[in-house]
Amino acid sequence: LTIPYMFLSRCSAENNAVSYVITNDVRGGYLAANYLLEQGKRNVFFLSGPENISIAASRAQGIQLAFREKNLPFPQSHIYYGNLRYKDGSRTLERILQSYRPPFGVFCSSDIVAIGVLSMARACGYKIPEEISIVGYDNSEIDPYLDYPLTTIAQADYQIGSQGMKL
């Protein structure tokens, strides 16, 4: 018995026969990096999801494109892979702060990671966005309930699900 399946918001690098519905993650990474660069942040860190998922490479590609357009380097060492959880954001910001001093920007592959970064940055007394600019990804339902506005790249969840059902 073969059960049909497809990926939503991901695609398989190993199996091209699997259907998928994704957004333009390269563009999302580009928009986030461009926003941070426009904020004057030349030092930008990318808190990615796991290295083996498609969005990690696509969003990193978008960041690199934005930096290349401005003739700026984007070091691979500024990409931190994690599990897209709150504690990944706060712990990774702690690691970054051991080696780098603000001002800098942080692009997170999910809003929940961005909220972890925001929480840790505020707990350490940094000014947001003057010292640490943060961009999330999702436009999560919890964002309106934060006591501090989060800049985020909206993901078209309804459209992804709807297109997936059609397929």
Side-chain angles (χ1 to χ4, degrees):
L1 175 68
T2 302
I3 299 172
Y5 66 95
M6 69 180 329
F7 291 111
L8 300 179
S9 296
R10 306 273 192 281
C11 60
S12 173
E14 297 88 36
N15 187 349
N16 290 340
V18 177
S19 297
Y20 59 89
V21 180
I22 58 172
T23 58
N24 188 339
D25 288 306
V26 173
R27 179 135 175 86
Y30 174 87
L31 291 171
N34 207 42
Y35 172 82
L36 292 168
L37 288 167
E38 287 174 0
Q39 299 299 309
K41 305 304 189 283
R42 295 297 178 259
N43 224 0
V44 172
F45 300 90
F46 176 37
L47 278 57
S48 175
E51 189 171 6
N52 63 340
I53 62 174
S54 60
I55 62 172
S58 296
R59 293 178 187 171
Q61 186 181 353
I63 295 167
Q64 292 162 343
L65 176 61
F67 271 73
R68 221 176 6 260
E69 283 184 1
K70 304 248 190 292
N71 294 315
L72 296 169
F74 181 75
Q76 283 295 118
S77 62
H78 285 204
I79 301 175
Y80 292 81
Y81 297 100
N83 291 313
L84 300 173
R85 296 180 304 216
Y86 174 90
K87 66 182 178 180
D88 292 312
S90 57
R91 288 178 182 166
T92 303
L93 182 61
E94 280 184 311
R95 285 178 50 208
I96 292 168
L97 287 168
Q98 290 172 1
S99 302
Y100 298 92
R101 289 287 151 242
F104 57 74
V106 181
F107 169 43
C108 304
S109 259
S110 76
D111 284 354
I112 197 68
V113 172
I115 293 167
V117 170
L118 176 63
S119 177
M120 179 58 67
R122 291 176 72 191
C124 292
Y126 290 105
K127 295 178 186 153
I128 312 299
E130 295 84 3
E131 295 178 295
I132 301 177
S133 292
I134 303 164
V135 177
Y137 202 103
D138 290 330
N139 198 21
S140 172
E141 290 180 11
I142 62 171
D143 291 352
Y145 301 102
L146 298 173
D147 66 346
Y148 191 91
L150 177 63
T151 301
T152 184
I153 304 296
Q155 181 166 264
D157 292 335
Y158 180 84
Q159 290 84 351
I160 291 170
S162 176
Q163 186 62 35
M165 287 303 296
K166 288 176 187 173
L167 288 174

